[in-house]
Amino acid sequence: MELAIGLPLIIMMLWAMSNLFAGTWKECRDLIADYTMQIEVNNAMQRIVSDLNVASHADSMSNGRLMINSYVYDYNNKMICVEKSPIYYFKDHTDNAATSYDAIYRQRSLNAKAQPLTGMDILSDVNIIIFKRTPIDKNLWDIEIIAESRVSGHRYRLKTKVYTGGADQ
């Protein structure tokens, strides 16, 4: 008699606990994925803004790449030399063994495609939806990144305007 009453109660209690655990697990996983996505996109935007702030010239190329040149000046505003080869930012599709996604790349060579700035963290599985670089005038750029976490399905948008004449002053 006790078994006939106790067994269904134990089964109902285990079912309720498993449902509670599953919901909590999904919520925690989504929170971690969203936080990781925000960190990735913020770091990529910070890197782009930092490079544009010290750039003396930026140009949007025909192949969709953003080219940033920085020059070194002396105290008399005479150019001494080019700092390094230009920096190229671009969005491109990446395929690896586990998944495929769109990522933002930062390269020193025009044809290189090594490690991306975004998309390498499996906790969020970031896919870049939009990476827009729009020149407003000669020294002012509008930068926008929209990313999506394929773990949680949530999107994150970051937009800013950047002045590129920092190296001239």
Side-chain angles (χ1 to χ4, degrees):
M1 180 87 157
E2 291 175 3
L3 184 63
I5 295 172
L7 189 59
L9 289 176
I10 290 172
I11 291 173
M12 285 176 37
M13 186 177 72
L14 289 174
W15 177 78
M17 287 175 53
S18 67
N19 280 343
L20 180 65
F21 177 74
T24 304
W25 175 256
K26 182 183 177 338
E27 191 67 32
C28 287
R29 188 191 65 183
D30 288 352
L31 285 171
I32 290 169
D34 290 345
Y35 178 72
T36 306
M37 174 181 58
Q38 289 175 7
I39 294 295
E40 259 189 59
V41 173
N42 284 339
N43 287 341
M45 181 66 89
Q46 186 177 22
R47 190 109 187 235
I48 295 166
V49 168
S50 176
D51 284 340
L52 280 171
N53 277 333
V54 297
S56 55
H57 176 71
D59 191 21
S60 184
M61 301 176 67
S62 60
N63 59 3
R65 295 175 187 228
L66 173 65
M67 181 179 68
I68 300 172
N69 287 314
S70 297
Y71 301 101
V72 178
Y73 290 88
D74 66 5
Y75 289 110
N76 297 327
N77 273 344
K78 293 182 182 174
M79 186 172 58
I80 299 172
C81 66
V82 176
E83 182 181 299
K84 290 182 180 176
S85 58
I87 300 170
Y88 300 96
Y89 282 98
F90 59 96
K91 173 186 156 192
D92 203 2
H93 189 73
T94 300
D95 289 313
N96 61 23
T99 184
S100 65
Y101 55 90
D102 287 344
I104 297 175
Y105 288 86
R106 178 187 188 269
Q107 305 296 322
R108 287 279 184 185
S109 174
L110 183 60
N111 296 321
K113 185 180 168 188
Q115 294 294 328
L117 290 176
T118 62
M120 296 299 289
D121 196 323
I122 62 171
L123 290 175
S124 61
D125 199 13
V126 173
N127 186 39
I128 300 298
I129 306 296
I130 293 175
F131 176 46
K132 194 160 54 170
R133 296 103 30 216
T134 310
I136 296 172
D137 64 16
K138 181 183 169 211
N139 288 335
L140 190 62
W141 285 78
D142 188 25
I143 308 293
E144 179 179 18
I145 300 173
I146 297 177
E148 180 180 36
S149 170
R150 292 194 288 185
V151 172
S152 68
H154 298 151
R155 288 189 176 186
Y156 182 63
R157 178 178 180 229
L158 205 54
K159 186 174 182 174
T160 189
K161 291 186 181 4
V162 185
Y163 180 73
T164 60
D168 294 338
Q169 302 300 324

